């Protein structure tokens, strides 16, 4: 089974702190994603990475940066946390080519989420 | 940007009843996926339907896709308490998925 793990389930930080959220997947997936989830807004894509050291902005990248130095690990960084970044953060991964279905229509596998509170 | 919109926002049914939720989207898609999220947890993939498919089944799940109307429906038959969760549709284009805000389903015992 694919496993995506996130470094913390709950995190409380103060305004202005630098925050690191880590995500690790064990299925050798090429793609990794960071989303934030807020009530009534669903999941919004912050950043995604399709290869080591490669990244692309999602829909709401402002105030965030990412790092992917190894294939299995994708980090989300809040350079200076603010209260409006209080949210649930979800990491996901997917592969480029699904050998089972012989297609590129691939599901994303999610971690359990990190609930971040910025005071 | 949020592509899919689920309807209704919330649904409460008795155990054993069927639950139906709908998803509408705006632009052309390669595939549409449905995910489930139990309270405060990550999302779990349920089923994927490609743009050239009209209906798909998986256990108690039935998904339909109407690309002319840009809409999909998810039917859960013979619901159980364990089906209590939020359900999201996600439209796929390339590597990325765009998620709707979800339908919260409560199954009463």
């Amino acid at each position: 089974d694919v496993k995506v793990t996130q470094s913390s389930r709950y995190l409380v930080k103060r305004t202005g702190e630098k925050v690191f959220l880590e995500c690790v997947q064990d299925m050798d997936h090429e793609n990794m994603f960071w989303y934030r989830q807020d009530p009534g807004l669903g999941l919004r894509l912050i950043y995604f990475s399709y290869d080591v050291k490669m990244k692309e902005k999602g829909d709401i990248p402002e105030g965030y940066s990412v790092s992917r130095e190894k294939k299995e690990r994708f980090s989300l960084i809040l350079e200076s946390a603010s209260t409006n970044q209080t949210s649930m953060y979800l990491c996901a991964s997917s592969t480029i080519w699904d050998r089972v279905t012989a297609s590129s229509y691939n599901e994303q596998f999610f971690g359990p989420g990190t609930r971040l509170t910025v005071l | 940007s949020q592509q899919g919109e689920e309807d209704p926002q919330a649904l409460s049914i008795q155990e054993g009843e069927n639950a139906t939720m709908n998803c509408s989207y705006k632009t052309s898609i390669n595939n549409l996926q449905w995910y489930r999220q139990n309270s405060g947890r990550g999302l779990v993939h349920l089923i994927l339907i490609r743009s050239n498919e009209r209906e798909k089944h998986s256990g108690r799940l039935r998904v339909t896709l109407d690309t002319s109307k840009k809409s999909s429906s998810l039917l859960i038959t013979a619901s159980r308490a364990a089906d209590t969760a939020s359900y999201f549709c996600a439209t796929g284009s390339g590597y990325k998925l765009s998620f709707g805000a979800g339908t919260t389903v409560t199954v009463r015992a």
Side-chain angles (χ1 to χ4, degrees):
Chain A
D1 278 354
V2 174
K3 194 162 184 186
V4 180
T5 57
Q6 295 184 227
S7 49
S8 306
R9 288 298 318 278
Y10 299 94
L11 209 52
V12 179
K13 295 291 181 181
R14 298 218 172 265
T15 302
E17 280 193 76
K18 191 168 186 175
V19 182
F20 293 86
L21 302 181
E22 300 241 305
C23 175
V24 178
Q25 50 94 4
D26 67 357
M27 276 297 290
D28 202 36
H29 282 174
E30 294 82 5
N31 304 320
M32 296 188 75
F33 308 82
W34 274 107
Y35 296 89
R36 65 175 282 176
Q37 182 179 21
D38 301 288
L41 297 177
L43 276 71
R44 292 180 291 168
L45 182 64
I46 304 172
Y47 267 97
F48 75 100
S49 169
Y50 51 88
D51 201 352
V52 175
K53 296 192 186 293
M54 306 303 287
K55 61 187 179 186
E56 280 197 25
K57 293 180 180 179
D59 300 317
I60 50 163
E62 297 78 20
Y64 303 95
S65 62
V66 290
S67 171
R68 193 163 180 204
E69 296 297 318
K70 292 186 178 181
K71 191 174 185 180
E72 67 271 18
R73 190 180 297 268
F74 191 34
S75 301
L76 179 69
I77 303 150
L78 287 67
E79 295 289 342
S80 177
S82 63
T83 54
N84 63 12
Q85 292 178 310
T86 291
S87 186
M88 169 75 104
Y89 289 87
L90 293 164
C91 175
S93 71
S94 72
T95 189
I96 291 175
W97 183 254
D98 187 323
R99 295 184 187 86
V100 174
T101 62
S103 73
S104 60
Y105 304 132
N106 293 308
E107 67 184 272
Q108 292 186 9
F109 295 85
F110 282 82
T114 295
R115 189 165 293 281
L116 172 68
T117 302
V118 182
L119 302 175
Chain B
S1 58
Q2 192 171 311
Q3 161 83 299
E5 287 188 16
E6 292 90 346
D7 173 62
Q9 289 186 337
L11 188 57
S12 180
I13 56 173
Q14 202 74 30
E15 205 165 20
E17 291 181 341
N18 295 343
T20 300
M21 59 210 86
N22 303 296
C23 171
S24 59
Y25 57 92
K26 296 177 182 140
T27 61
S28 297
I29 59 172
N30 293 331
N31 65 85
L32 187 143
Q33 303 178 33
W34 285 91
Y35 288 78
R36 184 187 73 226
Q37 184 180 36
N38 292 94
S39 180
R41 309 291 295 188
L43 277 71
V44 174
H45 182 264
L46 294 177
I47 195 166
L48 179 153
I49 187 165
R50 301 178 187 182
S51 58
N52 61 353
E53 296 175 314
R54 292 295 167 260
E55 188 170 314
K56 202 161 183 180
H57 296 254
S58 176
R60 293 184 295 113
L61 305 179
R62 173 178 168 255
V63 169
T64 62
L65 180 64
D66 187 336
T67 53
S68 67
K69 294 182 180 177
K70 291 188 170 57
S71 68
S72 172
S73 68
L74 172 67
L75 168 68
I76 305 172
T77 59
S79 62
R80 306 166 182 167
D83 295 327
T84 293
S86 293
Y87 293 82
F88 296 86
C89 70
T91 50
S93 176
Y95 302 150
K96 297 193 290 183
L97 293 176
S98 294
F99 288 83
T103 293
T104 300
V105 175
T106 303
V107 180
R108 306 186 306 273

